[in-house]
Amino acid sequence: MSIILNILGIIVLLAGLYLASSDKTSVNKKLIGKALLIQFVLAFFLVKFPIGRTVVQIVSNFVTNVLGYGMEGLTFVFGPLADGKSGFIFAISVLGNIVFIGALVGALYYLGIINFIVKVIGGAIQKVLGTSAVESFVAVANMFLGQTESPILVSKYLHLMTTSELMLVLVSGMGSMSATVLMGYVGMGIPMENLLIAGALVPISSIIVSKLLIPETQHEEVVEKVEMDRKGAHTNIMSAISEGATNGMQMAFGIGAALIAITGLVALVNGGLGVIGLSLQQILSYVFAPLALLMGLDPSHVLTAGQLLGSKMVLNEFIAFGDLGQIIKTLDPRTALVISISLAGFANISSIGICISGISVFCPERRTEISNIALKGMIGGFLVSTLSAMIVGLILLF
């Protein structure tokens, strides 16, 4: 039954995207078919093929070790508050490490390492699927960067992009995770392997979703050679590291403030709903339960998954991952991986405004156009993670 539901889920999701398409007759079915095939092969390699699983484990250990060095800085500044002797302090152990990762990403960005990987993988996707160089690079960049970070790579080309390409920027951005917050999720109990698999599946799922929602109908501005801006206004690597650390600090404060506000507001809402014997979590669990069911999850986990999916979209992914982290060890491996992938990404209501503001900075003349498709982009970003989770879930059933 799980196999049937899982297959049905993928069909329903793709059919829903097609029905919501801005121009059904212009959907490039050959591109969508190729992308789906590639995504299934990639997912099989990552979760079933022995070599692929070994690669994921090795990369996971490497990334965890590298990102873990941030604890040295936290211990130096906060002493016993950071070394665990005083108990686990979320603001220091989780949010504090974002400052270090922000600096690391800034350095890798300046040195051109991220850019090189993006060009290699993006170039391959462009040749196989026929997508433009700019949108291919942005889709791949979202394996590492967030919704307002990846567009910086191709900022000087944003004003030339078609509406379909802009949709891909929005969908891949809101369907992605930034490397800056990975250790935050790990600190809440989410396995690094799950997060890396989710990130690797972002580019192709983003292309599938965005090209169904808004297929290419406009003449593309041909860019023979895309030059990605890696240095910006920085004169040396220390400047890039400093800015990265500052951005990480701002992100940490932003996440902390959002969690304080949202957690308090949810408690307030639950206090009111408690009068009639309900809670926000219960409502979300029933609203999103059908989507969880179509992932082929065991019926006993459907309401829990529905509540987590609802929390991600209505609140944010940190809240959802925090709730998942408390129960993930009680779940079977397939359920844990599928739910983890489905929650990966920034697609929530507040991200709409963040994307409009963040991307419009580089092309203010297109702010209205971006605003008009931002809601659709957020839903698309949400479905990027869902599609990836469904594909992985189906493969794990065989």
Side-chain angles (χ1 to χ4, degrees), residues 202-215:
V202 166
I204 302 299
S205 282
S206 297
I207 291 171
I208 294 170
V209 171
S210 65
K211 294 306 176 184
L212 279 170
L213 285 174
I214 301 185

Side-chain angles (χ1 to χ4, degrees), residues 11-93:
I11 294 172
V12 169
L13 190 151
L14 294 174
L17 288 168
Y18 180 77
L19 291 174
S21 177
S22 62
D23 190 343
K24 299 177 183 61
T25 58
S26 297
V27 171
N28 189 334
K29 298 178 180 63
K30 185 177 179 180
L31 183 153
I32 301 299
K34 278 185 182 179
L36 277 170
L37 178 61
I38 292 172
Q39 192 72 323
F40 270 98
V41 172
L42 177 59
F44 177 82
F45 177 78
L46 294 174
V47 303
K48 273 287 189 179
F49 198 60
I51 295 177
R53 294 173 64 183
T54 301
V55 169
V56 170
Q57 186 62 56
I58 292 173
V59 173
S60 173
N61 291 338
F62 175 75
V63 172
T64 301
N65 287 337
V66 170
L67 299 185
Y69 285 117
M71 291 305 297
E72 294 293 327
L74 290 173
T75 301
F76 178 79
V77 174
F78 295 104
L81 294 177
D83 60 16
K85 294 178 181 178
S86 301
F88 180 76
I89 302 175
F90 182 86
I92 295 175
S93 299

Side-chain angles (χ1 to χ4, degrees), residues 18-324:
Y18 180 77
L19 291 174
S21 177
S22 62
D23 190 343
K24 299 177 183 61
T25 58
S26 297
V27 171
N28 189 334
K29 298 178 180 63
K30 185 177 179 180
L31 183 153
I32 301 299
K34 278 185 182 179
L36 277 170
L37 178 61
I38 292 172
Q39 192 72 323
F40 270 98
V41 172
L42 177 59
F44 177 82
F45 177 78
L46 294 174
V47 303
K48 273 287 189 179
F49 198 60
I51 295 177
R53 294 173 64 183
T54 301
V55 169
V56 170
Q57 186 62 56
I58 292 173
V59 173
S60 173
N61 291 338
F62 175 75
V63 172
T64 301
N65 287 337
V66 170
L67 299 185
Y69 285 117
M71 291 305 297
E72 294 293 327
L74 290 173
T75 301
F76 178 79
V77 174
F78 295 104
L81 294 177
D83 60 16
K85 294 178 181 178
S86 301
F88 180 76
I89 302 175
F90 182 86
I92 295 175
S93 299
V94 176
L95 297 182
N97 209 34
I98 293 176
V99 177
F100 163 72
I101 302 170
L104 177 62
V105 170
L108 295 176
Y109 195 32
Y110 179 85
L111 294 172
I113 295 174
I114 290 177
N115 313 51
F116 174 75
I117 297 172
V118 167
K119 275 196 171 184
V120 171
I121 302 176
I125 289 176
Q126 179 192 5
K127 289 179 180 178
V128 174
L129 296 181
T131 48
S132 71
V134 178
E135 63 184 348
S136 300
F137 289 172
V138 170
V140 174
N142 279 298
M143 293 170 61
F144 318 98
L145 305 174
Q147 54 195 344
T148 57
E149 298 165 321
S150 59
I152 297 174
L153 281 172
V154 293
S155 57
K156 60 185 176 184
Y157 303 108
L158 287 172
H159 71 284
L160 300 174
M161 284 185 159
T162 64
T163 304
S164 178
E165 290 173 326
L166 280 177
M167 174 56 81
L168 179 54
V169 173
L170 288 170
V171 167
S172 61
M174 287 192 262
S176 71
M177 300 173 291
S178 171
T180 312
V181 295
L182 283 185
M183 284 304 288
Y185 303 147
V186 172
M188 292 188 288
I190 311 303
M192 179 63 82
E193 295 96 321
N194 295 7
L195 299 172
L196 292 177
I197 291 171
L201 297 174
V202 166
I204 302 299
S205 282
S206 297
I207 291 171
I208 294 170
V209 171
S210 65
K211 294 306 176 184
L212 279 170
L213 285 174
I214 301 185
E216 192 59 76
T217 59
Q218 300 167 271
H219 175 70
E220 298 176 20
E221 185 76 29
V222 178
V223 180
E224 296 295 339
K225 186 178 181 182
V226 176
E227 296 292 342
M228 291 184 284
D229 182 16
R230 63 183 178 88
K231 293 189 177 182
H234 303 301
T235 56
N236 54 56
I237 190 171
M238 290 309 299
S239 174
I241 291 173
S242 177
E243 182 182 68
T246 301
N247 291 341
M249 181 181 67
Q250 291 173 343
M251 182 176 289
F253 275 121
I255 292 171
L259 291 176
I260 291 171
I262 291 173
T263 303
L265 289 172
V266 168
L268 175 63
V269 171
N270 284 341
L273 292 173
V275 177
I276 55 175
L278 286 175
S279 68
L280 181 61
Q281 287 84 350
Q282 286 177 305
I283 294 172
L284 292 175
S285 68
Y286 283 103
V287 171
F288 286 85
L291 185 59
L293 185 65
L294 290 174
M295 289 182 185
L297 298 178
D298 187 277
S300 62
H301 299 308
V302 165
L303 288 179
T304 299
Q307 180 241 306
L308 294 172
L309 287 168
S311 292
K312 176 198 171 181
M313 177 180 273
V314 177
L315 305 175
N316 64 43
E317 85 287 350
F318 253 93
I319 296 289
F321 272 134
D323 291 340
L324 175 61

